[in-house]
């Protein structure tokens, strides 16, 4: 888009001055090349979010921002309940608590290369991925409610995870305030056989090697060094979250009028935090967060089982588990005063800097791991939260590369077979039930993740620690 | 008929589905075929009928509800649908979906629709009297 439409604050801060119904400015963090490449819709959507009641400070977009639904993907916005602030089902999205976890294996790349094809086959056979796959677990009504309030803690109690993981999962693995009675029977039905499934589209399980270290001290605190192997899982709350998103989006669209909320885009569907619908959504959304936390814990458990088979003397340790589609209640300093805000992150990662009280002792002095998923070919990044992100965007950073091309365009440009073969030539094994799905997710369809994280670092949102290169990718 | 009367249109992250028809019901049927085509290009055999209904305050909301109803039935029944018969009266819809269980080897599903959105949502009668119905689906 045309950079003349912004006030350029500095090299990576682009400001849309309030106009029309905007209550606050909108701020996009990106370098000149990234912002020039962004769709005009990002501008429009970031500005639209700024019109919502009770928004605090500004509507933000991260360097990987792209055209989303109501909110841009890569959008961050905080609302104050005491100033008529809203909670938005559109601002969280369909895949509630979609997120990333990275597990340390203690292995070196050479260890994995010796078993790479059979490890890939084994992961692909045992990790349910894509449409038509079902998990090994079926939940009855009692288990469903326990899962929705227990999150990863529930999974661990069921023997599907390890207790030491909990301090490395946001909210210690269990989101408080979840209310399973706010979740419809239809949403629960959609989840009954979905626990421990990866899903589809851009969700994946990857075995990755540490290819480059930018900050050896932090890498050491995180527990990895060059050539180490990690396992990264990207997925969310599956059918349950999708159904909750669908139902509340509709309910909030219909309720907006009675709450006197003017929606410039129906997808901005929201309700006052202090309203019956708002509270019910929060109860259901938090239950979906628990579903995602439980799901990633179970997938991690399956990965552990497979790795134990190949490497009996090693065990997988969780580095961190972080969600990027959420609304969380957090304390933030606004004009020097601490305020309790409802922070929406839609395709944006929470990024707490050093000293944050929610971080476990081992990470507190360095900051929170910020896990950035890339595309199949280009690799991923581990970043660390910076204190400066607090004042920049309520302690938030980017979440991935962001698409550069639509699925439609990707399909015209690449064949799945060719993508698989090309990546195999570079030592990356792709396993997917659908070659068309692989083509739609071709590495070339994504922005340069390296440019995105470099911009996030320059903007003071998070700092690079390591680049990871894929060795095996299981795609739904 | 015989001419493809649906299309996919691009969205930066996901996929747009749009159906065309002489009636609003036909446009809804065609858009449903576009939804299935987002998942698979393989034939979906009409082996089993499923009855569904929706009701909303306006036609555009009805369209989103219609697609979300199909997405729900796909998910809980683990099925794909290849034939749709829709009746629309006022802002109420009744339909029969015909389909079969997902066969991963044959259908090789490319993606899983999460939900139909209000983005690029438009249900309208064109100047020539025909109808179109479309929106972006999050996959």
């Amino acid at each position: 888009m045309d950079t003349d439409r912004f006030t350029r604050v500095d090299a990576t801060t682009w400001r849309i001055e309030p106009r029309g119904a905007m209550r606050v400015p909108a701020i996009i963090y990106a370098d000149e090349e990234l912002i020039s490449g962004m769709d005009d819709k990002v501008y429009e959507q970031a500005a639209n979010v700024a019109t919502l009641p009770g928004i605090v400070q500004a509507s933000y977009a991260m360097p990987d921002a792209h055209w989303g639904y109501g909110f841009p993907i890569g959008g961050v916005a905080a609302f104050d309940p005491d100033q008529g602030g809203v909670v938005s089902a559109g601002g969280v999205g369909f895949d509630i608590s979609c997120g990333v976890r990275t597990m340390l294996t203690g292995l070196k790349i050479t260890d994995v290369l010796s078993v790479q094809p059979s490890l890939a086959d084994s992961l692909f056979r045992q990790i349910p991925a894509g449409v038509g796959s079902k998990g090994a677990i079926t939940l009855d009504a009692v288990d469903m409610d326990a899962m929705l309030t227990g999150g990863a803690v529930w999974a661990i109690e069921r023997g599907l995870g390890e207790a030491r993981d909990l301090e490395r999962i946001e909210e210690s693995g269990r989101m408080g305030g979840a209310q399973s009675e706010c979740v419809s029977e239809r949403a629960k039905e959609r989840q009954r056989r979905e626990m421990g499934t990866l899903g589809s589209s851009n969700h994946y399980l990857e075995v990755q090697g540490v290819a480059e270290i930018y900050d050896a001290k932090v890498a050491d605190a995180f527990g990895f060094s060059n050539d180490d192997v990690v396992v990264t899982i990207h997925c969310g709350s599956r059918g349950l979250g999708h159904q909750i998103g669908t139902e509340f989006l509709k309910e909030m669209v219909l309720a907006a009028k009675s709450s006197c909320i003017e929606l410039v885009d129906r997808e901005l569907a929201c309700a006052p935090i202090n309203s019956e619908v708002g509270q019910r959504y929060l109860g259901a959304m938090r239950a979906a967060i628990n579903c995602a936390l439980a799901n990633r814990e179970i997938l991690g458990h399956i990965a552990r089982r497979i790795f134990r088979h190949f490497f009996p003397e090693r065990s997988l340790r969780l580095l961190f588990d972080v969600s990027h589609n959420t609304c969380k209640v957090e304390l933030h300093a606004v004009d020097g005063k601490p305020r309790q805000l409802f922070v929406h992150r839609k395709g944006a990662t929470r990024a707490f800097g050093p000293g944050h009280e929610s971080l476990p002792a081992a990470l507190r002095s360095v900051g929170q791991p910020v896990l950035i998923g890339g595309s199949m070919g280009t690799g991923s990044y581990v970043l660390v939260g910076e204190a400066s992100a607090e004042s920049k965007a309520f302690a938030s950073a980017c979440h991935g590369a962001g698409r550069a091309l639509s699925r439609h365009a990707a399909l015209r440009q690449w064949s799945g077979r060719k993508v698989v073969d090309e990546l195999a030539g570079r030592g990356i094994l792709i396993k997917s039930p659908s070659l068309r799905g692989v083509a739609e997710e071709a590495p070339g369809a994504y922005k340069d993740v390296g440019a995105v994280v470099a911009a996030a670092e320059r903007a003071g949102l998070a700092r690079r620690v390591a680049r990871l290169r894929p060795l095996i990718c299981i795609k739904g | 008929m015989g001419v493809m009367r649906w299309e996919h249109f691009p969205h930066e992250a996901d996929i747009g589905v749009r159906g065309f028809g002489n009636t609003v019901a036909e446009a809804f049927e065609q858009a449903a075929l576009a939804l299935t085509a987002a998942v698979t290009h393989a034939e979906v055999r009409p082996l089993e009928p499923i009855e569904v209904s929706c009701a909303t305050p306006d036609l555009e909301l009805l369209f989103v509800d219609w697609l979300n109803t199909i997405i729900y039935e796909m998910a809980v029944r683990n099925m794909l649908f290849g034939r749709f018969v829709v009746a629309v009266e006022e802002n109420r819809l009744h339909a029969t979906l015909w389909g079969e269980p997902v066969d991963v080897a044959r259908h090789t599903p490319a993606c899983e629709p999460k939900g139909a959105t209000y983005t690029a949502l438009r249900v309208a009668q064109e100047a020539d009297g025909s109808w179109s119905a479309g929106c972006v689906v999050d996959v």
Side-chain angles (χ1 to χ4, degrees), chain A residues 206 373-381 401 423 426 428 443-444 446-450 467-470:
Chain A
E206 272 189 2
S375 62
M376 295 178 282
T378 51
S380 304
Y381 283 81
L423 291 174
R426 287 163 46 198
I428 305 166
Y446 281 84
K447 286 179 197 153
D448 175 5
V449 65
R467 181 169 64 83
L468 310 173
R469 71 176 171 93

Side-chain angles (χ1 to χ4, degrees), chain A residues 402-425:
Chain A
R403 286 191 81 96
L405 287 180
S406 69
R407 290 171 186 280
H408 200 75
L411 212 50
R412 277 205 306 263
Q413 207 156 329
W414 292 285
S415 97
R417 182 78 262 157
K418 220 169 149 194
V419 171
V420 170
D421 290 347
E422 268 174 29
L423 291 174

